[in-house]
Amino acid sequence: YQRRVHGDIFQNMSNRYDAAVTRFSPSGHLFQVDYAFEAVKKGACAVGLKTKDSVIIGVERKATPKLQESSNIKKIFQIDHHLAMACAGLTADARVLTERTVLECQQYRLTYDQPPTVNYIAKFVAKVMQRYTQVGGRRPFGVGSLIVGYDQAKEPMLYLTEPSGSYSLWKACSIGHNSKNVTELLEKKYKDGLSHDEGVKLAIEGLLEVVESGNKNMEIAYMQKDEKLVKMTDEEVKKIVEAIEKEKQPPA
């Protein structure tokens, strides 16, 4: 009986900390933020990496119902001429976050008559997300993002933002469903000074760790210096997938 009473008390305390975004648990956790991270882990996988002359992002495309138009389902967003974003997690949250980011890019150009830096936009996105971890009556964004682009120094940049409001600079990383497997592959095969073609191949190889039907369920895009975001066609991706699968086959 005593054990059951203690269990009920602990459960009631846990529920109390679960319900409030702004209340820390005795162990130092904000449970709603932890749950937002879980939402990101359940989202479609996204991978990003930078090479010596480009920055590449790829996303897993979930299978759509037969009667649904797939053309309006976006996972990669161009937020300025020199900036793009890929998201993992709740699609509706990603849409709201990208719309705010596009607006901020426009306001920055009007105010300063120059494009915002990649670091500024990554910091802005992180600031918006962090604000929702400190305000009662709201919940954190259930989405993580990869922000890529070029700064005035003409160097490719890749930032990761998380539901907690933190952001960090990376050479290569992944978020979303089974991102651990993709990250392990990147850690094993990524090296400084990759060419653009090698980077595209590695991004596709990473997504092949996650997707079920090859090129049909992935989307790849890249950005090079002084150029807009380019989305690869399914045929281009298919050729690289076939080359990767051919390499994996044992010699006859």
Side-chain angles (χ1 to χ4, degrees), residues 172 180-192 194 202 205 209:
K180 183 179 179 182
N181 295 340
V182 181
T183 300
E184 288 175 356
L185 179 73
L186 293 175
E187 289 174 347
K188 182 180 178 181
K189 295 195 172 186
Y190 182 86
K191 60 181 183 290
D192 291 331
L194 282 176
L202 181 55
E205 195 172 348
E209 296 286 313

Side-chain angles (χ1 to χ4, degrees), residues 118-130:
V118 187
N119 177 270
Y120 175 86
I121 291 303
K123 188 176 181 180
F124 168 79
V125 171
K127 184 178 179 181
V128 171
M129 297 172 83
Q130 193 276 336

